């Protein structure tokens, strides 16, 4: 390793520190940086990375913990954990992953770090462990991440999942100089993961400045080549027949995993082992089946430019907006065979691909809506293309804020993270402050907008655009306050209370409880935000009432924060009144 690699990484981390609205230490930023690039291929947002960072004491040697199913991040309110039918629809053999990260700014790799993680996993992977005993040794945040993994595993047992437990050990040291004793400990840890469950496999990796630099300096490519067999061209757009082998290459990154970032604009996620995907897989596996493109509606790609040379299309700004189910099923059904026998006749079969060239975002949105109306997609799933979403984005841009209705769009353009607001975060801010339901914002981080009714309440055309920006800025203001207090609060405490504190800040400005976001339009027009002194006073009251409520109702912190009863108790006790419990 060149000494320059460490210098470059340190400089990159300092630049990231300077771009944050919240001043964090080098160690804290290094932890986030390490988690982000250990999980480089998953395309996580800033919020998703930060949510997985453990932080604080009793972390058991784990600085970040994330749970994935089939390459998709799981949340506590993910559908498979809520409804048996969703778990039943997961593809048989899908991979459930627990990914752990430890990040130390030291310039070496130590045995102690591996020993600590081994001990932690012995306790936290035990399906029969008593949570009361675990809380003596480990933070609630860390326990919650392992609980999420174990709950998902229980739900999926009938689907015969494969389990991967991976540990990324990240330092500023040279991975070529890892001591043999440390390497031996890594093998022992892998063996421990292998034996944790009958279906589990363990992996340990060492990441240093060289590996981090390569990942950090590599942005996901949206310019790709697509070979084709035949095509029809009209003006600048194309209708092509593509061999399945070439399409698998098009979809796969260097590791063979699917390029999830080229599906960012798709209106829904992979549905797993549902009937239509079973039929697609069966057709792929049957040598006697009719030509694949006869039986399948094909793929729709939008891009900003397409150039054809020698039966190869070079495509810029690629997004697959229709055909995600087909693409994932092709990849998951045939990827392994393609690695071992690319000459198999199945790979000469053809899939139809439409390549529509336009740089006009409104036109792209129209394509997404039109192509997805042919299948049973809930209207709310098309929300990123709604007029209200584009209006919010435009309004934010006018005020030098960035509304990420397309995940990571502005992040990939290098815009400051402190001014990027995602659809989920804005929705939670509206729910907590505008509608007076911080309990709902806390309880449903990923499923808040799944029903059309909730979506229409949160993103109402009757709400002034200035109010949406005010809500985003205020939630960011509250979050920054909590993260920069001289006496910090724990990560789990922050997760449970930051929406409640934001609600109290809004209620104080208005003078009482309310459930109409437009009650905030005067504050939005005049740029009135909760002051630090007000937030400090409100936080003291909030923490006191939070503790009192838990004692009176015998609730744990998570249950209390997610309960409507606590919101009623809080606002009543503080003299702000209360909304009807049914609202």
């Amino acid at each position: 390793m060149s000494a320059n690699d460490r210098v470059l990484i340190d400089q990159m981390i300092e630049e990231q520190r300077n771009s944050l609205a919240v001043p964090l230490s080098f160690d804290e930023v290094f932890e986030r940086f390490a988690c982000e690039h250990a999980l480089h291929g998953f395309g996580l947002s800033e919020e998703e990375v930060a949510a997985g960072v453990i932080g604080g004491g009793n972390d058991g040697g784990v600085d970040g913990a994330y749970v994935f199913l089939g390459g998709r991040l799981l949340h506590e309110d993910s559908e498979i954990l809520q409804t048996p039918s969703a778990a039943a629809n997961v593809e048989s053999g899908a991979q459930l992953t627990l990914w752990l990260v430890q990040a130390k700014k030291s310039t070496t790799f130590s045995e102690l770090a591996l020993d600590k993680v081994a001990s932690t996993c012995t306790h936290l992977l035990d399906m029969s462990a008593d949570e009361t005993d675990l809380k003596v040794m480990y933070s609630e945040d860390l326990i919650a991440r392992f609980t999420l993994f174990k709950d998902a595993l229980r739900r999926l047992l009938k689907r015969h999942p494969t389990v991967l437990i991976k540990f990324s050990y990240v330092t500023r040291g040279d991975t070529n100089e890892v001591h043999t004793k440390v390497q031996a400990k890594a093998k022992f840890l892998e063996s421990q993961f292998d034996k944790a469950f009958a279906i589990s496999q363990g992996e340990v990796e060492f990441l240093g400045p060289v590996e981090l630099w390569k990942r950090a300096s590599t942005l996901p490519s949206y310019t790709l080549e697509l070979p084709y067999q035949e095509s029809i061209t009209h003006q600048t757009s194309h209708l092509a027949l593509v061999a399945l082998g070439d399409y698998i290459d098009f979809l796969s990154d260097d590791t063979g995993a699917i390029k999830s970032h080229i599906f960012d604009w798709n209106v829904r996620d992979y549905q797993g082992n549902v009937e239509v995907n079973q039929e697609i897989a069966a057709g792929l596996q049957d040598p006697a089946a009719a030509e694949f493109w006869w039986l399948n509606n094909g793929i729709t790609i939008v891009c900003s430019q397409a150039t054809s040379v020698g039966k190869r299309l070079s495509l810029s700004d690629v997004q697959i907006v229709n055909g995600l189910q087909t693409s994932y099923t092709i990849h998951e059904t045939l990827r392994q065979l393609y690695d071992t026998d690319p000459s198999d006749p199945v790979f000469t079969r053809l899939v139809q691909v439409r390549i529509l060239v336009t740089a006009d975002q409104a036109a792209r949105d129209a394509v997404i809506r039109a192509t997805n109306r042919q299948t049973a997609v809930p209207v709310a799933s098309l929300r990123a293309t709604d007029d209200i979403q584009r209006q919010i984005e435009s309004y934010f841009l006018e005020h030098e804020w960035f509304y990420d209705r397309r995940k990571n769009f502005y992040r990939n353009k290098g815009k400051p993270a402190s001014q990027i607001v995602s659809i989920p975060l804005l929705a939670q801010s509206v729910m907590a402050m505008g509608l007076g339901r911080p309990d709902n914002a806390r309880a449903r981080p990923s499923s808040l907008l799944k029903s059309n009714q909730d979506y229409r309440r949160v993103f109402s055309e009757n709400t002034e655009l200035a109010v949406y920006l005010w809500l985003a800025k205020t939630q960011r203001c509250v979050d920054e306050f909590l993260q920069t207090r001289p006496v910090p609060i724990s990560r789990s405490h922050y997760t449970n209370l930051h929406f409640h504190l934001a609600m109290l800040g809004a209620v104080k400005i208005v003078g009482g409880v309310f459930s109409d976001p437009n009650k905030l339009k005067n504050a939005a027009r005049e740029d009135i935000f909760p002051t630090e002194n007000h937030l400090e006073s409100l936080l003291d009251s909030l923490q006191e009432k939070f503790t009192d409520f838990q004692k009176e109702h015998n609730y744990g912190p998570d249950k209390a924060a997610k309960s409507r009863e606590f919101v009623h108790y809080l606002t009543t006790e503080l003299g702000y009144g209360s909304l009807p419990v049914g609202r």
Side-chain angles (χ1 to χ4, degrees):
M1 180 191 83
S2 164
N4 287 333
D5 293 312
R6 188 176 297 145
V7 172
L8 289 170
I9 285 297
D10 288 352
Q11 181 178 325
M12 192 173 282
I13 293 169
E14 285 295 344
E15 288 175 357
Q16 192 164 312
R17 283 185 70 199
N18 294 334
S19 71
L20 295 172
V22 179
L24 298 177
S25 68
F26 183 94
D27 285 5
E28 289 172 310
V29 178
F30 184 67
E31 285 177 358
R32 291 192 186 188
F33 187 86
C35 290
E36 176 186 352
H37 295 298
L39 302 164
H40 182 71
F42 290 100
L44 301 186
S45 67
E46 293 273 356
E47 293 158 21
E48 289 170 334
V49 171
V53 175
I54 303 301
N58 295 330
D59 65 9
V62 177
D63 295 314
Y66 304 81
V67 181
F68 299 90
L69 177 61
R72 289 162 193 79
L73 186 66
L74 286 184
H75 303 269
E76 58 189 313
D77 64 329
S78 290
E79 208 168 357
I80 69 150
L81 300 172
Q82 307 299 320
T83 60
S85 60
N89 281 334
V90 171
E91 184 180 10
S92 180
Q95 181 168 288
L96 179 66
T97 302
L98 172 64
W99 200 310
L100 309 174
V101 182
Q102 185 178 83
K104 300 299 178 190
K105 69 176 183 181
S106 64
T107 56
T108 59
F109 295 88
S110 77
E111 296 176 65
L112 181 61
L114 295 164
D115 289 339
K116 197 170 183 181
V117 171
S119 175
T120 297
C121 290
T122 296
H123 298 136
L124 293 180
L125 288 175
D126 183 350
M127 301 292 276
S128 62
D130 187 317
E131 191 165 312
T132 303
D133 294 335
L134 295 177
K135 286 180 177 178
V136 175
M137 298 184 290
Y138 304 110
S139 71
E140 290 183 6
D141 234 17
L142 183 64
I143 294 170
R145 290 284 154 178
F146 276 81
T147 300
L148 175 63
F149 167 74
K150 290 187 288 188
D151 286 349
L153 181 56
R154 288 189 184 98
R155 294 271 184 163
L156 296 171
L157 278 178
K158 291 183 179 179
R159 305 307 302 150
H160 307 290
T162 59
V163 173
L164 172 64
I165 305 172
K166 183 155 184 175
F167 175 57
S168 296
Y169 184 12
V170 187
T171 76
R172 293 161 62 246
D174 189 341
T175 55
N176 291 319
E177 297 178 359
V178 178
H179 195 279
T180 52
K181 287 186 178 180
V182 177
Q183 292 177 359
K185 285 289 178 72
K187 290 180 180 178
F188 288 142
L189 183 58
E190 284 184 344
S191 177
Q192 178 182 333
F193 291 159
D194 287 343
K195 297 172 183 175
F197 307 96
I199 54 176
S200 62
Q201 177 186 351
E203 289 183 17
V204 175
E205 67 173 352
F206 297 99
L207 300 176
V210 172
E211 293 77 17
L212 290 174
W213 173 253
K214 286 179 181 176
R215 297 184 185 190
S217 59
T218 303
L219 290 174
S221 176
Y222 293 88
T223 299
L224 303 172
E225 283 200 347
L226 179 64
Y228 62 87
Q229 300 300 308
E230 303 293 342
S231 76
I232 298 172
T233 300
H234 177 67
Q235 296 178 351
T236 58
S237 296
H238 306 265
L239 181 63
L241 293 177
V242 178
L244 290 177
D246 290 330
Y247 190 61
I248 290 173
D249 279 336
F250 178 78
L251 294 175
S252 304
D253 65 18
D254 292 341
T255 68
I258 201 163
K259 295 170 182 167
S260 58
H261 64 276
I262 62 175
F263 296 93
D264 285 346
W265 294 7
N266 212 276
V267 299
R268 59 181 176 179
D269 213 336
Y270 182 49
Q271 303 297 300
N273 198 36
V274 294
E275 184 177 356
V276 64
N277 292 340
Q278 291 175 14
E279 291 175 0
I280 294 170
L284 292 168
Q285 293 167 331
D286 180 4
E291 180 56 71
F292 184 74
W293 72 275
W294 295 2
L295 309 176
N296 186 273
N297 289 333
I299 315 297
T300 301
I301 296 173
V302 295
C303 60
S304 61
Q305 186 175 4
T307 305
S308 178
V309 178
K311 289 201 171 183
R312 298 181 75 87
L313 284 162
S314 178
L315 310 177
S316 301
D317 302 316
V318 167
Q319 278 294 313
I320 295 175
V321 298
N322 188 259
L324 179 145
Q325 306 304 316
T326 297
S327 298
Y328 268 81
T329 303
I330 288 172
H331 190 272
E332 297 203 1
T333 304
L334 298 178
R335 175 75 246 181
Q336 189 172 356
L337 176 62
Y338 190 64
D339 286 341
T340 57
D341 186 10
S343 62
D344 189 289
V346 68
F347 300 115
T348 63
R349 296 169 71 184
L350 304 174
V351 61
Q352 176 184 283
V353 182
R354 294 197 304 163
I355 300 102
L356 308 180
V357 180
T358 177
D360 183 337
Q361 188 58 64
R364 291 185 178 200
D365 285 346
V367 169
I368 294 169
R369 279 184 169 274
T371 55
N372 282 283
R373 289 204 186 281
Q374 299 165 16
T375 52
V377 181
V379 173
S381 296
L382 296 164
R383 51 185 161 265
T385 68
D386 281 356
D387 287 344
I388 184 65
Q389 298 296 329
R390 289 191 277 116
Q391 289 167 4
I392 294 171
E393 181 182 25
S394 296
Y395 188 84
F396 275 43
L397 280 171
E398 289 172 10
H399 295 80
E400 297 184 348
W401 278 67
F402 309 97
Y403 184 52
D404 224 19
R405 67 188 182 96
R406 304 299 190 191
K407 184 178 176 182
N408 286 333
F409 180 78
Y410 288 107
R411 182 183 180 188
N412 289 337
K413 285 184 171 292
K415 301 301 182 183
S418 60
Q419 290 168 256
I420 297 175
V421 179
S422 67
I423 288 181
L425 180 60
L426 182 59
Q428 287 174 298
S429 303
V430 176
M431 183 63 74
M433 289 178 275
L435 299 173
R437 295 298 307 268
D439 54 310
N440 229 346
R442 166 64 185 94
R444 299 168 60 195
S446 70
S447 62
L448 191 61
L449 300 178
K450 285 196 172 178
S451 81
N452 290 342
Q453 181 181 1
D454 285 340
Y455 176 67
R456 286 192 294 267
R457 288 181 65 210
V458 170
F459 290 111
S460 168
E461 293 182 356
N462 296 324
T463 301
E464 292 190 6
L465 294 174
V467 171
Y468 288 114
L469 182 58
W470 186 91
L471 288 163
K473 286 183 172 181
T474 300
Q475 189 63 59
R476 193 59 53 83
C477 169
V478 170
D479 293 348
E480 290 171 6
F481 162 76
L482 288 172
Q483 294 174 56
T484 57
R485 292 179 72 240
V487 181
I489 64 174
S490 69
R491 179 75 200 183
S492 59
H493 215 43
Y494 167 88
T495 300
N496 278 329
L497 296 182
H498 71 136
F499 291 122
H500 291 77
L501 182 59
M503 179 205 67
L504 290 179
V507 164
K508 185 170 183 63
I509 287 173
V510 172
V513 297
F514 59 93
S515 60
D516 178 2
N518 278 324
K519 292 285 187 181
L520 295 163
K521 62 185 179 184
N522 288 334
R525 289 170 182 170
E526 298 174 23
D527 273 348
I528 299 172
F529 298 97
T531 67
E532 191 169 312
N533 287 339
H534 284 154
L535 289 175
E536 192 65 57
S537 174
L538 291 170
L539 179 61
D540 288 343
S541 300
L542 172 59
Q543 290 179 309
E544 178 186 341
K545 299 306 176 188
F546 191 54
T547 300
D548 291 346
F549 180 83
Q550 290 176 70
K551 289 178 180 177
E552 288 181 23
H553 292 76
N554 195 27
Y555 279 10
D558 284 2
K559 185 176 180 180
K562 296 173 184 178
S563 75
R564 180 59 175 152
E565 291 79 10
F566 173 60
V567 180
H568 174 84
Y569 175 89
L570 175 66
T571 56
T572 302
E573 287 287 311
L574 296 183
Y576 292 118
S578 179
L579 293 173
V581 174
R583 291 298 297 270

